[in-house]
Amino acid sequence: MASQILRRVVRSCSGGILSSPANHHHSSLLPALTRAFSSATPITATLFPGDGIGPEIAESVKQVFQAADVPIEWEEHYVGTEIDPRTQSFLTWESLESVRRNRVGLKGPMATPIGKGHRSLNLTLRKELNLYANVRPCYSLPGYKTRYDNVNLVTIRENTEGEYSGLEHQVVRGVVESLKIITRAASLRVAEYAFHYAKANGRERVSAIHKANIMQKTDGLFLKCCREVAEKYPEITYEEVIIDNCCMMLVKNPALFDVLVMPNLYGDIISDLCAGLVGGLGLTPSCNIGEGGIALAEAVHGSAPDIAGKNMANPTALLLSSVMMLRHLNITDKAERIQNAIINTIAEGKYRTADLGGSSSTTEFTNAICNNL
Amino acid sequence: MARRSVARSLLNNLLSNKLEPCSRITASRSVTYMPRPGDGAPRAVTLIPGDGIGPLVTEAVEQVMTAMHAPVYFEKYDIRGDMKQVPQEVIDSIRRNKVCLKGGLKTPVGGGVSSLNVQLRKELDLYASLVHCSNLPGLPTRHENVDIVVIRENTEGEYSGLEHEVVPGVVESLKVITKFCSERVAQYAFEYAYLNNRKKVTAVHKANIMKLADGLFLESCREVATKYPGIKYNEIIVDNCCMQLVSKPDQFDVMVTPNLYGNLVANTAAGIAGGTGFMPGGNVGAGHAIFEQGASAGNVGNEKLLDQKKANPVALLFSSAMMLRHLQFPSFADRLETAVKRVITEGKHRTKDLGGHNTTQEVVDAVIAVLD
């Protein structure tokens, strides 16, 4: 522990980014989007292995990163067994501070503890780290055949407000109201990120998904904010699509869409729909973006307790999410190498885990990826 | 000797199955419906052509009805989607006739005008909207074995239209769920399943997040489910539902949903079954019914379709068949459906969305030609 702190202090002195690791108040740092680094300086990232199959697939990620020589040092944190009063949940204050400090993290699947008196883990992370955008790239994996083989889109979902504000009440017996909140600030924030992401990743079109013909003021405000941001990026085509049309076109011809930006509820539904188009949540990467450039990549599938510990789990989702994390850090060359290795391994078809129709173990699959690097 | 050879050649004929298609149909026993005296009197139906491709496809229906000599006559009213509200005479006509056939009414995006479709539904209290999404034989799609009926609550939920700006830059929209509306749409769904020999009803919700609102909807569904023990009932969260629809749609039968999710699920189901071009549907209430194209994906067709007159009339033709059954003219409905299905299966007359290049009029002519 002491040697770790010493190492971190030495690194921070040479990097000049942090004043002291024990200092909980950090000044507004450069967002990680523009962080310049040299490949010699390792970046610390927080890792939440999670429950169930989490630790196994986290091992896979560590192994692949080591084989690819990625300059990331992992700081592992686990979900506690007691409620931490400072966070009102099973996640400790130290875990959250670690993510705030490191600016990047990777999260495995976490089982939701049952009971009252605490916030859900995802809610804790979202509120404490102010994670406002959920980014999910969905592309057809060559070699894993689904009914759709030309999907290549990214869904960006506003993650803090909208229909999920949790503000409901019973007016009288048998009548319930639920509030959907849309604010200019949150809509502008997610629209800015969407266009920035499109530009940074060479995407040509951003589509805003809405139901503004019925919900005129709320979705109308969202659209207005998107239009404002669109004017600043004239090289990117901007269009608006009504959500029922979007659903229908997605299942008929998903190649029509490129980047989709949406409020909370529509984003939830559409991003899961797109995950279904490419093969399910077991293959879909995801990344949550927070204020100040924090990025927490996560695997959105469940913790699969029935296959935990049996070396059968598919690490693809967590690996692809870690690739997203690398891209966010601008380590694009390593990200490309790892992504290509994963895609080629699945395309070759010799090593596939049980859920993809093969019979390889997690370790065999991981070794195959390392060999393909 | 001669008799035996005649008998043998007859036997050969029967076994070789060389019957003509028409005679094959009439050779089987036809279904017969026994009417009450006076059921054949012509019924008035309000007709709203609407915007975009609406007039084109409603005219197709009118032509087919005339060709069949169906006992319906239409009272046509011209309303456009950007009118401030539905004219009172149209509402009176629907109240009088009880049944209406409608093309699409385009709701302008952005504000000022509230949707006329929603207004009609609320005025006439058409509380259930039904869309039947199923594969058509002869039309290959990515998903097979799709036969889903989506029943959607039509009056409240997210479409309450209650929005206001709290302070500049912060807008609130109210989603209202009541036990009364949830119960009656659940009742309609189970009754529909019972009357149409459907085996399973699935309630679609997001009650893990919207615990009170969707929780109330689920409670109502569960209560109604206990009254129909012969029908299986289960619940599914809406994002999982969409994911399952695109991967394993054959697990769904009848789905009952609140307003917004119903819109999304119906359009998704229509998409996987082959597109909105041939899904019938309608809105029904205690006293009235409006039949229209089942899932319209929020638009009324693009201008190119309109200019070239290549809109697909099949959806509205199927919906008008549903209307004929609702009006208790089932034999006409059967004839219409058989003719349309034959035209599509033969594949010689199809509009662009079904992979062909014919105009609306050509499809209608083909349907009229095979009407028997």
Side-chain angles (χ1 to χ4, degrees), chain A residues 100-365:
Chain A
R100 284 198 196 102
R101 200 175 44 237
N102 295 329
R103 329 290 299 151
V104 281
L106 184 64
K107 174 177 155 296
M110 289 184 184
T112 316
I114 307 173
K116 296 193 174 167
H118 63 87
R119 292 190 289 185
S120 85
L121 298 168
N122 287 319
L123 188 64
T124 314
L125 282 168
R126 200 168 64 231
K127 291 267 153 119
E128 295 288 333
L129 301 170
N130 218 343
L131 302 172
Y132 64 85
N134 179 292
V135 183
R136 253 191 233 184
C138 297
Y139 40 83
S140 303
L141 289 171
Y144 182 57
K145 189 134 182 48
T146 57
R147 292 190 177 98
Y148 301 87
D149 48 11
N150 55 350
V151 184
N152 187 4
L153 50 87
V154 181
T155 61
I156 299 184
R157 157 195 174 191
E158 204 289 320
N159 221 356
T160 59
E161 53 174 25
E163 298 83 347
Y164 291 14
S165 313
L167 298 160
E168 302 180 288
H169 64 282
Q170 184 170 259
V171 183
V172 292
R173 255 186 79 111
V175 179
V176 175
E177 263 179 12
S178 172
L179 288 174
K180 162 179 167 168
I181 317 265
I182 299 276
T183 60
R184 200 176 144 70
S187 306
L188 274 177
R189 197 166 52 168
V190 76
E192 280 282 0
Y193 184 76
F195 278 89
H196 166 91
Y197 180 93
K199 185 155 176 198
N201 287 275
R203 297 279 179 168
E204 294 164 350
R205 204 166 69 236
V206 173
S207 315
I209 312 295
H210 66 99
K211 189 78 186 168
N213 48 351
I214 302 289
M215 288 186 257
Q216 291 160 2
K217 295 204 174 103
T218 38
D219 286 352
L221 177 59
F222 182 79
L223 283 185
K224 235 190 320 187
C225 299
C226 289
R227 280 179 211 140
E228 279 180 29
V229 179
E231 282 170 20
K232 295 194 247 169
Y233 293 81
E235 68 276 9
I236 298 185
T237 323
Y238 168 70
E239 64 177 0
E240 297 168 359
V241 187
I242 302 188
I243 181 153
D244 24 356
N245 201 6
C246 172
C247 282
M248 219 246 328
M249 294 319 296
L250 270 175
V251 295
K252 285 202 81 177
N253 190 5
L256 289 173
F257 291 103
D258 196 355
V259 177
L260 300 159
V261 62
M262 311 165 266
N264 213 337
L265 177 68
Y266 312 146
D268 193 2
I269 299 175
I270 300 280
S271 56
D272 277 4
L273 203 161
C274 296
L277 295 176
V278 297
L281 293 177
L283 300 170
T284 316
S286 168
C287 187
N288 298 298
I289 308 293
E291 279 284 3
I294 295 184
L296 183 65
E298 64 173 344
V300 285
H301 54 72
S303 54
D306 46 338
I307 55 171
K310 294 187 187 159
N311 204 6
M312 283 171 58
N314 186 351
T316 308
L318 198 64
L319 279 167
L320 287 174
S321 304
S322 62
V323 166
M324 282 188 79
M325 190 184 82
L326 290 177
R327 281 191 206 278
H328 181 90
L329 291 169
N330 276 331
I331 315 180
T332 12
D333 52 343
K334 305 276 186 195
E336 277 298 322
R337 276 180 67 198
I338 299 179
Q339 186 171 339
N340 288 334
I342 301 171
I343 293 183
N344 288 336
T345 313
I346 298 182
E348 276 167 19
K350 271 195 303 182
Y351 296 96
R352 281 194 195 172
T353 46
D355 58 321
L356 292 180
S359 54
S360 306
S361 65
T362 314
T363 33
E364 283 169 16
F365 185 65

